[in-house]
């Protein structure tokens, strides 16, 4: 099936409140343009240099989501244009995003990346660490960042019960923390090609789908 057909099929399965991020990492601009030609505008990238290059080469009205692990010293390359940074995992990084946001006179929207999986390889904050960031005095002073919710990845497993339990733990945390801080953090970014249907059932509002749209990735290119 073509990129257009894949997109059309996935979109027909998504409830209206769920945003689809087409994850285009490692994929050429031609395939992104195919998706763009259907009216799709939300794309996700993991690597700063690749994102900066694609941003420079592709239409200006694309909403670029940074979904990878972001190092503080690279924030400056995406700060002028990034639409949403999904993988924030420290207050220090939020401070740097704030600094760069100020420079470009923007409020940069961010999600805190939470560690929910049963694996050692995944990045992210514990629920306690999220709470301490979200209740910190410093955060209220960062006027050029806005924390809008959470991002997570479930364990890479066939065990649906496990995946469901992990997503649910984040949904429950969101409900609790919103009461504690008395603010809405409405975005929940979870669900990928293999588990987005479960993710939506468990409260996802943003799914990040790559291979089911663009085909398998080949990292040797
Ligand atoms: C690559 C990636 C995705 C998309 O994965 P697929 O399995 O290809 O859908 C989603 N989220 C993150 C953080 C990724 O790195």
């Amino acid at each position: 099936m073509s990129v257009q057909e894949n997109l059309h099929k996935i979109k027909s399965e998504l409830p209206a409140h769920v945003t689809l991020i087409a994850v285009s990492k490692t994929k050429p601009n031609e395939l992104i343009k195919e998706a763009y030609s259907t009216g799709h505008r939300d794309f996700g990238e993991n690597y700063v240099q690749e994102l900066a290059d694609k941003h420079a080469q592709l239409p200006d009205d694309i909403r670029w989501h940074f979904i990878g692990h972001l190092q503080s010293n690279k924030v400056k390359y995406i700060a002028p244009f990034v639409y949403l940074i999904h993988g924030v995992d420290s207050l220090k990084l939020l401070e740097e995003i704030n600094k760069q946001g100020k420079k470009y006179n923007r409020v940069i929207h961010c999600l805190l990346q939470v560690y929910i999986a049963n694996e050692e390889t995944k990045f992210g904050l514990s629920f306690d660490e999220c709470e301490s960031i979200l209740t910190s005095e410093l955060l209220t002073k960062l006027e050029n960042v806005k924390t809008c919710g959470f991002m997570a990845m479930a364990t890479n497993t066939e065990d649906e019960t496990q995946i469901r339990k992990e997503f649910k733990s984040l949904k429950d945390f969101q409900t609790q923390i919103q009461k504690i801080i008395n603010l809405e953090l409405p975005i929940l970014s979870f669900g990928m090609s293999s588990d987005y249907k479960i993710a939506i059932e468990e409260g996802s509002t943003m799914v990040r789908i790559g291979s089911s749209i663009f085909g398998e990735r080949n990292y040797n290119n």
Side-chain angles (χ1 to χ4, degrees):
M1 289 219 292
S2 68
V3 166
Q4 283 104 323
E5 286 167 327
N6 291 337
L7 260 179
H8 185 74
K9 177 172 172 296
I10 293 169
K11 281 189 167 169
S12 73
E13 298 165 349
L14 299 184
H17 69 276
V18 177
T19 302
L20 171 63
I21 317 289
V23 177
S24 47
K25 63 183 180 210
T26 79
K27 297 296 179 181
N29 290 346
E30 287 64 45
L31 289 187
I32 298 177
K33 284 183 196 156
E34 276 185 41
Y36 181 90
S37 72
T38 70
H40 193 76
R41 293 294 179 267
D42 290 277
F43 292 88
E45 290 283 339
N46 286 51
Y47 308 102
V48 167
Q49 186 61 52
E50 185 176 351
L51 172 53
D53 290 347
K54 286 177 172 172
H55 168 258
Q57 293 155 4
L58 289 161
D60 268 344
D61 62 344
I62 289 181
R63 294 186 287 266
W64 290 108
H65 296 252
F66 188 77
I67 63 171
H69 183 66
L70 185 57
Q71 292 169 290
S72 291
N73 61 352
K74 300 211 168 145
V75 176
K76 56 178 177 280
Y77 301 114
I78 62 171
F81 65 86
V82 69
Y83 181 74
L84 179 63
I85 299 177
H86 291 233
V88 174
D89 62 356
S90 71
L91 196 49
K92 182 175 153 272
L93 183 57
L94 281 172
E95 286 184 82
E96 176 62 20
I97 296 169
N98 184 65
K99 186 175 135 195
Q100 297 297 330
K102 192 162 282 169
K103 203 157 93 188
Y104 295 103
N105 198 22
R106 309 182 64 208
V107 175
I108 300 179
H109 290 195
C110 294
L111 306 178
L112 296 181
Q113 183 166 357
V114 190
Y115 179 85
I116 55 171
N118 206 350
E119 286 171 358
E120 287 186 6
T121 53
K122 306 246 153 92
F123 291 105
L125 300 156
S126 67
F127 293 136
D128 284 348
E129 288 167 331
C130 283
E131 180 169 343
S132 73
I133 291 176
L134 290 168
T135 54
S136 72
E137 180 74 30
L138 178 56
L139 187 64
T140 62
K141 302 203 168 85
L142 305 181
E143 293 177 342
N144 293 79
V145 289
K146 182 171 163 62
T147 315
C148 309
F150 304 96
M151 179 267 213
M153 285 164 96
T155 304
N156 185 8
T157 171
E158 303 276 290
D159 183 354
E160 267 201 25
T161 314
Q162 176 69 25
I163 295 170
R164 201 175 282 286
K165 192 177 87 187
E166 291 172 3
F167 288 150
K168 184 174 184 306
S169 71
L170 182 51
K171 175 74 198 171
D172 291 346
F173 174 72
Q174 178 202 35
T175 307
Q176 286 169 25
I177 194 72
Q178 288 186 146
K179 285 193 193 128
I180 293 171
I181 63 174
N182 201 20
L183 270 180
E184 296 282 303
L185 298 167
I187 299 180
L188 290 177
S189 165
F190 53 68
M192 325 203 312
S193 293
S194 58
D195 57 17
Y196 71 90
K197 289 180 186 160
I198 306 173
I200 291 166
E201 287 168 10
E202 297 304 328
S204 174
T205 68
M206 247 183 207
V207 291
R208 309 177 309 264
I209 300 181
S211 43
S212 293
I213 297 171
F214 296 110
E216 293 301 322
R217 285 176 294 276
N218 179 356
Y219 286 98
N220 299 325
N221 288 346

